[in-house]
Amino acid sequence: MVRGIGDDCAVLKVAPGHQLLVTTDLCIEDFHFRRTWHPPASVGHRCLVRGLSDIAAMGGEPLACFLSLGLPSRLSQKWVDGFLRGFELLARRFAVPLAGGDVSAAPAITADIVVAGQIPSGEAVLRSGARPGDRIYVTGELGGSAAVLQRLYAGKRVTPSRSDCHFYPLPRLEAGRWLRRRGLATAMIDVSDGLSVDLAHICQESRVGASINAQDIPVAKRANLELALHGGDDYELLFTAPAKAKLPATAGGVKLTAIGTIVDHARYAGQVGHVGQKDYLSAIRILGQNGQERILAPRGWQHFTKKR
Amino acid sequence: MVRGIGDDCAVLKVAPGHQLLVTTDLCIEDFHFRRTWHPPASVGHRCLVRGLSDIAAMGGEPLACFLSLGLPSRLSQKWVDGFLRGFELLARRFAVPLAGGDVSAAPAITADIVVAGQIPSGEAVLRSGARPGDRIYVTGELGGSAAVLQRLYAGKRVTPSRSDCHFYPLPRLEAGRWLRRRGLATAMIDVSDGLSVDLAHICQESRVGASINAQDIPVAKRANLELALHGGDDYELLFTAPAKAKLPATAGGVKLTAIGTIVDHARYAGQVGHVGQKDYLSAIRILGQNGQERILAPRGWQHFTKKR
């Protein structure tokens, strides 16, 4: 970083031969977190992890982060300090300097996270590179975050430990970079909205279909298949790799699991009876534990609502 | 732009030999604009101008913008369309593509604007380069935006024309780049918080004092000296240049006016009787129209409040 906080703009170096990555994510009280459920450090951590996870999903390296913070006037300094502590702990763990941002009064806690990163030119792993025959993989386990959320909604007490996948999820930066460097991933996305939605994004952008096996999906402890398919906020990586690629059991310290295969989109298009965009959105099939294949409709992460 | 909306990150090219600039600014309903005062196109325009103006103040060139938008569920589509139209018109005028962002539900209209730009390496005009003896300049005229705001607060009807400096201010990108290319500006900032505050930022970062002449300040039509000194939201450039530099009457189509001189900070430090940061914040003197010199305390832009 050439120049951080204290000028009109931050000034950053992007390494020669590299392209710039930029991602932004809004976190708003009662929509992305609840003050009664999430300790301030978890809110700060979860805010930053969303940006870092997007960099991971391109196979990139984070350079700096920026935080725009809207704060209600009645909010305690203790809450803000806790938020910043959670944010900074994660930023330091991945050596990402806070290079700027903005602060304003606001009716509800609002945090917009921006992460800038870099990637060797032309090597960003896009959502659009999946080809029929590619195998589909995920890192880690799915549904764990949604399982915690389900318990919170049910009014159960949940102690937010530092290792909890809902309160303190980790971005898969090392795994994403490893896959990109080896040229193994043809398409990649992070599982922030839920597997069914995020796989639909890959299908849509790559103009392909997908066939996955229920019994192969790595379901987190305390979760179930439903939560693993549709729960969001996991921040694992979902990627595709050529069928003949030899993938190891782990990458960057996290487990890799093959869960299915990319198929020609035309194979499903007629069956779901839709045209245009809706074709792609319905182009996922899942082979159930009962041996029956069914269409997997994308149905993922819903923002928290006060009504629930 | 290599890849815009539709992936986990935008992928951008920064030209070889250039550094990256990044700025973020939050706009929140009732704090930065009012729906009853500002047409949606003006809100969208004003949101983007804040980011572009920061790029101008470094002497940089905008590459792409990102918009995170929080929208109340009851907000009309018409309002959102108007906002985006105002935003896009300005973006197109300065050829800045919208490369990404985020959308969320929110209790109040929230827009966080991020602009990424580039600048030849080492050429960013910082706030910290002013030296005793440098002359102080501003582009255009000051106080015009605050004069409109004053009329709005007084309950007067104001028709928001497309050329109005409050509703549709323009970023001084061309002037900023021109000054940077000629190597004329030693320090620069945009007048977003008000001249007294923004000049104090230059003094603080450059560890200098400043002496300005009231009668030289270019006061906008319908404004007065008080508004020109302390009103914010002008988006003109405030910069310093060596005394021997020959500046033209205009740059990038806007008038340049010399308003004072940078002085050794020590000359004032004793007089204001403060130590540390407060020294710098009080290190501005203004020679009044009455021939008397007084300390100019920084007092600028206040967020709108519902109470007012």
Side-chain angles (χ1 to χ4, degrees):
Chain A
M1 186 163 54
V2 181
R3 175 84 201 177
I5 294 164
D7 224 297
D8 293 85
C9 296
V11 185
L12 302 172
K13 274 184 195 160
V14 175
H18 283 62
Q19 290 169 329
L20 168 69
L21 302 174
V22 182
T23 174
T24 80
D25 288 282
L26 261 182
C27 296
I28 297 180
E29 183 177 4
D30 289 334
F31 295 94
H32 296 88
F33 66 90
R34 285 194 188 174
R35 252 192 280 175
T36 47
W37 289 350
H38 297 93
S42 162
V43 179
H45 177 109
R46 283 166 49 93
C47 169
L48 178 56
V49 85
R50 292 180 65 196
L52 294 179
S53 182
D54 283 331
I55 300 287
M58 309 296 280
E61 178 192 347
L63 286 174
C65 60
F66 302 82
L67 178 64
S68 288
L69 213 44
L71 301 170
S73 57
R74 65 189 179 285
L75 191 68
S76 73
Q77 188 58 44
K78 198 180 150 201
W79 195 95
V80 178
D81 291 345
F83 173 95
L84 292 174
R85 200 161 45 242
F87 188 99
E88 278 170 23
L89 265 177
L90 184 62
R92 213 175 305 151
R93 178 163 177 168
F94 290 94
V96 186
L98 179 64
D102 196 10
V103 181
S104 167
I109 301 169
T110 304
D112 193 39
I113 176 72
V114 179
V115 182
Q118 68 181 11
I119 186 127
S121 294
E123 292 190 17
V125 186
L126 305 179
R127 297 178 180 177
S128 51
R131 296 293 168 259
D134 284 358
R135 307 230 50 202
I136 305 166
Y137 294 83
V138 286
T139 62
E141 294 175 339
L142 300 177
S145 179
V148 172
L149 206 54
Q150 200 176 49
R151 292 171 65 208
L152 289 166
Y153 274 125
K156 292 183 183 146
R157 261 191 91 85
V158 180
T159 309
S161 89
R162 285 288 318 172
S163 61
D164 184 278
C165 66
H166 175 76
F167 293 100
Y168 299 97
L170 288 175
R172 299 308 188 191
L173 283 160
E174 216 185 314
R177 272 204 301 264
W178 189 90
L179 289 163
R180 187 259 303 159
R181 276 200 211 109
R182 302 283 168 127
L184 289 174
T186 51
M188 190 150 62
I189 191 171
D190 68 324
V191 185
S192 52
D193 293 330
L195 177 63
S196 65
V197 172
D198 292 314
L199 182 52
H201 286 314
I202 284 185
C203 289
Q204 195 168 353
E205 294 293 328
S206 300
R207 307 179 73 84
V208 294
S211 174
I212 61 174
N213 300 316
Q215 65 184 23
D216 291 339
I217 291 171
V219 178
K221 230 189 303 181
R222 297 198 186 210
N224 56 38
L225 181 64
E226 195 67 10
L227 294 172
L229 287 174
H230 305 296
D233 249 2
D234 283 314
Y235 302 108
E236 296 296 346
L237 297 176
L238 170 67
F239 64 97
T240 56
K244 59 185 174 191
K246 288 264 179 285
L247 271 94
T250 65
V254 284
K255 191 173 65 168
L256 303 183
T257 309
I259 62 166
T261 307
I262 294 294
V263 297
D264 190 332
H265 169 251
R267 191 176 135 196
Y268 291 153
Q271 297 175 11
V272 297
H274 286 295
V275 290
Q277 208 178 52
K278 294 225 169 149
D279 268 355
Y280 305 110
L281 288 172
S282 306
I284 307 172
R285 303 218 136 200
I286 182 166
L287 181 67
Q289 279 143 330
N290 58 3
Q292 302 257 308
E293 201 178 46
R294 64 179 174 91
I295 290 171
L296 181 69
R299 174 164 63 78
W301 173 251
Q302 302 293 318
H303 284 158
F304 300 9
T305 57
K306 285 185 176 173
K307 279 173 228 147
R308 265 170 155 180
Chain B
M1 187 163 54
V2 182
R3 174 82 200 178
I5 295 164
D7 224 298
D8 294 83
C9 296
V11 185
L12 302 171
K13 273 183 196 160
V14 176
H18 283 63
Q19 289 168 329
L20 168 68
L21 303 174
V22 181
T23 174
T24 80
D25 287 284
L26 259 182
C27 297
I28 296 180
E29 183 177 3
D30 290 333
F31 296 94
H32 296 89
F33 65 91
R34 284 193 189 175
R35 251 193 280 177
T36 48
W37 289 351
H38 297 91
S42 163
V43 179
H45 177 109
R46 283 165 50 90
C47 168
L48 178 56
V49 85
R50 294 179 65 196
L52 294 179
S53 182
D54 284 331
I55 300 287
M58 310 296 281
E61 178 193 345
L63 287 173
C65 60
F66 302 82
L67 178 64
S68 287
L69 212 45
L71 300 170
S73 57
R74 65 192 179 284
L75 190 70
S76 73
Q77 188 58 43
K78 198 180 151 197
W79 195 95
V80 179
D81 291 345
F83 174 96
L84 292 174
R85 201 160 43 242
F87 188 98
E88 278 171 22
L89 266 176
L90 183 63
R92 217 175 300 152
R93 179 165 177 168
F94 290 94
V96 186
L98 178 64
D102 196 10
V103 180
S104 167
I109 301 170
T110 305
D112 192 39
I113 177 70
V114 179
V115 182
Q118 67 181 11
I119 187 123
S121 294
E123 292 189 19
V125 186
L126 305 180
R127 297 177 180 178
S128 53
R131 296 293 168 260
D134 285 358
R135 309 232 48 206
I136 304 166
Y137 295 83
V138 286
T139 62
E141 296 175 336
L142 301 177
S145 179
V148 172
L149 206 54
Q150 200 176 47
R151 293 172 65 209
L152 288 167
Y153 274 125
K156 289 183 186 149
R157 259 192 92 85
V158 180
T159 310
S161 89
R162 286 288 318 173
S163 62
D164 185 278
C165 66
H166 174 76
F167 293 101
Y168 298 96
L170 288 176
R172 300 308 189 191
L173 283 160
E174 216 185 315
R177 272 203 300 262
W178 188 90
L179 290 163
R180 186 259 303 158
R181 276 200 211 108
R182 302 283 168 128
L184 290 172
T186 51
M188 190 150 61
I189 191 171
D190 68 325
V191 185
S192 53
D193 293 331
L195 177 62
S196 65
V197 172
D198 292 314
L199 182 53
H201 286 312
I202 283 185
C203 289
Q204 194 168 353
E205 294 292 327
S206 299
R207 308 180 73 86
V208 293
S211 172
I212 62 175
N213 301 316
Q215 63 184 22
D216 291 338
I217 290 170
V219 178
K221 231 189 303 180
R222 301 197 184 209
N224 56 38
L225 181 64
E226 194 67 11
L227 293 172
L229 287 174
H230 305 295
D233 248 3
D234 283 314
Y235 303 107
E236 296 296 346
L237 296 177
L238 171 68
F239 64 97
T240 56
K244 59 182 175 194
K246 288 265 180 285
L247 271 95
T250 65
V254 286
K255 192 172 65 170
L256 303 182
T257 309
I259 61 167
T261 307
I262 294 294
V263 298
D264 190 332
H265 170 248
R267 193 176 133 195
Y268 290 154
Q271 296 176 10
V272 297
H274 286 295
V275 290
Q277 204 177 57
K278 292 224 170 150
D279 269 355
Y280 305 109
L281 286 173
S282 306
I284 307 172
R285 302 219 136 200
I286 182 165
L287 181 66
Q289 278 143 333
N290 58 4
Q292 303 258 308
E293 201 179 47
R294 62 177 175 91
I295 289 172
L296 181 69
R299 174 164 63 78
W301 173 251
Q302 303 291 319
H303 282 160
F304 302 8
T305 57
K306 284 185 178 174
K307 279 173 229 148
R308 269 172 153 176

